[in-house]
Amino acid sequence: NAGVTQTPKFRILKIGQSMTLQCTQDMNHNYMYWYRQDPGMGLKLIYYSVGAGITDKGEVPNGYNVSRSTTEDFPLRLELAAPSQTSVYFCASSYEGGKYQPQHFGDGTRLSIL
Amino acid sequence: KQEVTQIPAALSVPEGENLVLNCSFTDSAIYNLQWFRQDPGKGLTSLLLIQSSQREQTSGRLNASLDKSSGRSTLYIAASQPGDSATYLCAVNGETSGSRLTFGEGTQLTVNP
């Protein structure tokens, strides 16, 4: 059982470039989340989704976009990369809204904007 | 707005010692509190989830307690081992946050052989 899979694991971008961070889960979870973690800090929620076709903003959504066309996939897009977006990005999923079951995390994408 | 604080930020102990990590939160209206472990370069692994109606949860050498009214949780690690070295994060799932977790900044634990 793969769980939550994120690609790529590492990436370096130039300022102004765009890219998509991929996330897929094979647990048939309805809820999916994108977090970013800056050095020495906790995780901050960027966007989340409660099911296919439904997304909502988290705490730090500016500069990012998401879509959820299937239950399995929840890609995160950076349109115009900025140095402030250098961070580690984690995707997570849960069966329900996390009231009774923990969120499951991928191994992260380490992104540097130069 | 929910805020989660973890103390200490870093902790170094000799192998075999029992230790306590602390987590506090400002809004007691929560569904649950979770403790995660994060190894360098890795994602988060869920250790324990305590529902708001529970006082504690145990898994092996780990015991987590919750005092919702005072906004506090502790993670107790018994007989620590070098393999316990990692960053430990607590997160709360608030009733008003719509299934979103609010994380603390973590405690970086080093267990020395």
Side-chain angles (χ1 to χ4, degrees):
Chain A
N1 209 357
V4 179
T5 302
Q6 293 184 237
T7 57
K9 294 188 183 301
F10 304 93
R11 184 73 184 267
I12 298 174
L13 283 182
K14 294 182 179 179
I15 295 172
Q17 287 185 320
S18 62
M19 77 164 292
T20 299
L21 282 65
Q22 302 291 345
C23 176
T24 187
Q25 52 90 10
D26 62 358
M27 296 172 283
N28 201 32
H29 286 169
N30 290 320
Y31 288 71
M32 295 188 74
Y33 313 82
W34 274 107
Y35 296 90
R36 61 176 285 173
Q37 184 179 33
D38 297 325
M41 306 291 285
L43 281 68
K44 294 188 184 299
L45 183 67
I46 305 171
Y47 271 96
Y48 69 105
S49 169
V50 302
I54 307 170
T55 62
D56 206 350
K57 296 177 181 179
E59 187 179 358
V60 288
N62 292 343
Y64 307 95
N65 282 300
V66 294
S67 60
R68 183 94 181 272
S69 58
T70 66
T71 299
E72 295 78 18
D73 300 306
F74 190 39
L76 176 72
R77 183 154 179 87
L78 283 70
E79 290 293 352
L80 291 171
S84 61
Q85 294 177 305
T86 294
S87 190
V88 182
Y89 292 83
F90 290 102
C91 179
S93 71
S94 66
Y95 177 66
E96 30 79 44
K99 291 182 185 180
Y100 305 107
Q101 298 291 330
Q103 293 183 12
H104 297 259
F105 283 78
D107 284 343
T109 294
R110 283 144 188 83
L111 181 63
S112 294
I113 314 294
L114 303 176
Chain B
K1 177 185 174 185
Q2 179 75 267
E3 293 183 2
V4 179
T5 303
Q6 291 187 245
I7 294 173
L11 182 64
S12 181
V13 301
E15 181 176 3
E17 205 166 277
N18 302 325
L19 58 100
V20 174
L21 307 181
N22 297 291
C23 174
S24 62
F25 48 95
T26 56
D27 185 352
S28 62
I30 64 170
Y31 290 122
N32 59 55
L33 182 144
Q34 302 176 39
W35 283 94
F36 293 89
R37 170 183 172 135
Q38 185 176 25
D39 292 291
K42 294 291 187 181
L44 279 66
T45 301
S46 180
L47 297 173
L48 291 164
L49 183 152
I50 312 176
Q51 298 293 348
S52 62
S53 58
Q54 297 176 316
R55 297 286 290 182
E56 63 179 279
Q57 280 281 353
T58 298
S59 176
R61 294 182 294 107
L62 305 180
N63 176 276
S65 68
L66 174 65
D67 184 342
K68 197 176 84 162
S69 61
S70 67
R72 295 174 188 267
S73 176
T74 61
L75 179 66
Y76 174 82
I77 302 177
S80 59
Q81 304 171 356
D84 294 330
S85 298
T87 296
Y88 291 81
L89 294 157
C90 75
V92 297
N93 188 341
E95 293 180 7
T96 58
S97 65
S99 79
R100 297 177 287 180
L101 291 178
T102 301
F103 282 84
E105 295 183 354
T107 294
Q108 185 173 358
L109 173 65
T110 302
V111 181
N112 301 300

